[in-house]
Structures are given as C-alpha cells and as structure tokens.
Amino acid sequence: MLAAKERPDETITVCPAREITAPHAPDLALGIPRHWWPDPLVNVHAARIEEETLAWFRELGFGERSIWIVRTFAPADYAGMPFPLAAPRELLLLAKYLSLWLLWDDVDVEGRERTFPFCGPAVLEPSASGVTTLFGATWSALLRELATTMSPAWMTTLCEAMDTWSTAALKEARTSKQRRAGLARVSYEEALRSRIDTIGMAATGYLLEYARGIELPPDFHAHETSLALKTLSGKIVGFGNDIWSLGKDWASGYVNVILALREEHGLTMLEAVRRIIREHDEAIAEFDRLARALPSFGAAWDKHIATWVQDLRHASLGFTLWESRAPRYAAFKMLVNGTPIDPSFIVPTSLAPRAAAATASAYAPHP
C-alpha cells in the first residue's frame, strides 16, 4: 500500500480557485432528490440580517479581524440556507448563533484548545466564574436570549448537545495537531465518527425547534429512529464539509474523511472522492427510508414531527450548499492531475434554474 503522498500515478496541487481554468470532473456530482429542496432555497430575510449579525459582534467587543472572519462565513447564507423558512427574529438569532459557533471553533477550540462550560452556572449567569473570556461572555448572552423563548428543559438538552460537540471538537483539533506532526494516523471510521460528532447537526436538531417555536417531546428525541436521522444528517453535512474543504485540509493536515479513506485503502484521490459522494447519496436514501419508518408519537405531535424531519432535510442540504460556495472553502481548490475537485449537484430539471440562480455552484440537471 502506498502512503498518502507517495502515489506515482497522481499529482496533487492546491491553488487559488481564481487561477483554475481546467474543467471540473463531470462525474463528481451529489444527487439530491426533489423533496429535499426547499422553496425558497435561501430565506427571503437572509440578506438583511447579515449586517445586523456583524454589528452584534462589534457591539460585544470583537475586533475587526474577527468581524472580517465572520464576514467570510457569509452569515446570510450560513443561516438563510439551512433555515429557509425561519421568521426574521428567529433567523437573526440563528445567524448570530451559527456565526459565533464557527468563529469560536476556529479561534478558541482549534486555535487555543479552549472550550466553554455549557453545562453549569456559566451558561446563563454572566457573573459566573466560568465566563472569563469574550467568547464565554458572548455565549452566555446569546443563551440567555434563547432562554427567554425556550423552556429550561430545552435549554438543558441544547447545552448538553453543545458540550458533547465541544469535547469532540477539542479531541479532533488535538488529533489533527498530532497528525501534522506525524504522531497519529486516523482510520476512516475514526475520521467519520469524528466528523459526525463535530459537524454539529445533533445540536442543530434542537435549533430547528426554536426556528418553529415548538419543543418536541423527549421520547421522540430519545427514539432510536430519531437518533439515527440525526446521525445521518451529520454524515450528509459532514461529507459535504470534507469534500469542499479537501484542499484546505490537505494543505493543513487536518482530519478529513476523504484523506483517511485514501490513506487506509490505498485509493487515488478521485477514487476516494467518488466513494464519499456515493456514501453521501446512500445516506440520503437511508434518511428517507428511516423517516418513512418513524412510529406515531400521538396525533398532537405527528404533524410537528413530520415538519421537523422535513426541516432537517432542508438544513442538511442548506449547510451542504453553503459548504459548496462559502469563501472559507471556495478560495482554494485541490487539483488531481490537473482536474479540479469541485463537485456539482444533480437536481431535478424543474429545480435547476432556481437552484443555479441561488447558488454559485454548478448544477447538472437530471430528469
């Protein structure tokens, strides 16, 4: 088996996207069924909440460097694509939440290996000893805002999910550092489990309830099918993340499912990418199969649960679309033997014009 960077049959380079003139590989396309595409594709209130989100960071004391980083997240798309039907008030809070989450991950978790104690008094008490940083104070303020709408029990479950995420993210950051130093190898299963845990869809499942102004019963969230749907959502979004961050992760040595798969099985990079795309599409099919198998949780809840499942589809696709065009991923692309790794989306023909108009990605119409 050849080591990851020792294959004589492929030349891998990473360069600025603006310098790429070669055509993309036509067979690299993610298949998305029609019922996964929302209408509208981007929340109609998205554009107006971006500047409000940036202003919020300024008001809280973040410097211009942090503001610039948040702007590269494209907050309008980052909230507006996963939450296409949220009302303006909820969308603004979600844009703040998602942008803070990603900035905190980049700066404090990955950069300084520092987390925030989501489970404890620091969550809702600005004077608590756990709030000792600007990020901590901002999380506390944002969670207090959420608590004006959501119940204490809901806040507890969200914070537990965030605490689980931060533990996994810190572990992944440390593993990546060891990998860069040549002190660790990551198997495909380890990379996949890490990506599912760190992509954040478990916590996002609760944010979907906030967006709709409802709290689903605990027995639904604890049900094995609900848990499996959240895991599959994490897999779908995680695959998209690692596909479009491939060039960045290759250059930085960060944990990536494609790189782990390639190294473990001696695949070419294109073979590994094609397999991840296939697994992405299989995860979507499995999600739909399990969604159809959900039991009844009572007449009072079944309609709300069906809405939540559809919202989870929209969020999974929305984050994937954002990954395909976000400046943090789009700036640099990997080329394998001169071919850019930048997959398109296979969408139903009737949706292709609307989808193409709303995103910067290339789409391949499909009957």
Side-chain angles (χ1 to χ4, degrees), residues 32 36-38 41 312-322 345:
I32 313 292
W36 281 67
W37 294 82
L41 192 61
L312 188 57
R313 287 190 180 98
H314 291 166
S316 300
L317 174 59
F319 281 122
T320 303
L321 291 171
W322 174 82
F345 293 86

Side-chain angles (χ1 to χ4, degrees), residues 17-293:
R18 64 179 180 274
E19 297 178 5
I20 297 175
T21 58
H24 299 177
D27 64 325
L28 300 183
L30 284 67
I32 313 292
R34 192 188 195 290
H35 63 282
W36 281 67
W37 294 82
D39 187 10
L41 192 61
V42 183
N43 194 296
V44 296
H45 308 292
R48 75 170 96 152
I49 58 94
E50 181 156 318
E51 291 305 319
E52 293 181 66
T53 301
L54 295 169
W56 178 74
F57 277 94
R58 287 193 183 93
E59 291 166 6
L60 288 167
F62 285 88
E64 286 307 310
R65 171 64 179 172
S66 293
I67 302 301
W68 178 83
I69 293 173
V70 173
R71 192 178 290 279
T72 70
F73 300 162
D77 285 348
Y78 196 30
M81 295 181 121
F83 296 90
L85 303 177
R89 173 180 174 273
E90 286 73 21
L91 186 68
L92 177 58
L93 187 143
L94 290 164
K96 295 175 183 176
Y97 193 107
L98 294 173
S99 298
L100 175 63
W101 192 354
L102 189 52
L103 180 66
W104 174 58
D105 182 28
D106 282 355
V107 175
D108 253 21
V109 180
E110 292 182 13
R112 300 172 183 151
E113 297 187 2
R114 184 165 59 190
T115 59
F116 171 72
F118 282 95
C119 295
V123 171
L124 299 177
E125 295 294 334
S127 61
S129 59
V131 180
T132 58
T133 68
L134 179 57
F135 278 110
T138 306
W139 271 121
S140 183
L142 189 57
L143 291 168
R144 289 198 307 276
E145 186 177 349
L146 262 176
T148 64
T149 301
M150 310 304 286
S151 72
W154 186 91
M155 292 298 301
T156 297
T157 56
L158 173 67
C159 288
E160 287 173 349
M162 291 298 297
D163 196 56
T164 298
W165 175 88
S166 65
T167 299
L170 187 59
K171 179 181 178 182
E172 183 174 277
R174 290 171 175 168
T175 300
S176 295
K177 183 181 292 185
Q178 293 174 337
R179 186 175 182 274
R180 284 191 290 271
L183 301 176
R185 293 187 63 161
V186 181
S187 72
Y188 172 62
E189 288 302 321
E190 289 170 337
L192 179 56
R193 183 69 260 174
S194 182
R195 183 58 61 248
I196 291 171
D197 291 342
T198 61
I199 204 64
M201 293 308 291
T204 299
Y206 293 106
L207 296 178
L208 293 172
E209 296 179 10
Y210 165 75
R212 289 286 185 175
I214 193 167
E215 298 179 19
L216 297 178
D219 59 333
F220 166 72
H221 282 294
H223 193 275
E224 61 180 3
T225 305
S226 171
L227 294 172
L229 289 173
K230 294 176 193 176
T231 297
L232 285 165
S233 174
K235 183 181 287 189
I236 292 163
V237 180
F239 282 150
N241 177 87
D242 284 18
I243 287 169
W244 279 287
S245 67
L246 183 59
K248 178 173 69 71
D249 292 345
W250 170 267
S252 68
Y254 206 79
V255 171
N256 183 296
V257 295
I258 296 170
L259 301 180
L261 180 67
R262 175 180 182 266
E263 182 173 322
E264 183 174 324
H265 295 282
L267 304 176
T268 67
M269 192 68 76
L270 280 171
E271 287 170 343
V273 171
R274 290 187 182 105
R275 177 166 158 182
I276 293 303
I277 290 175
R278 184 168 68 249
E279 293 204 17
H280 168 276
D281 293 354
E282 290 171 354
I284 283 183
E286 178 67 4
F287 184 105
D288 284 345
R289 187 190 70 78
L290 287 178
R292 291 191 294 269

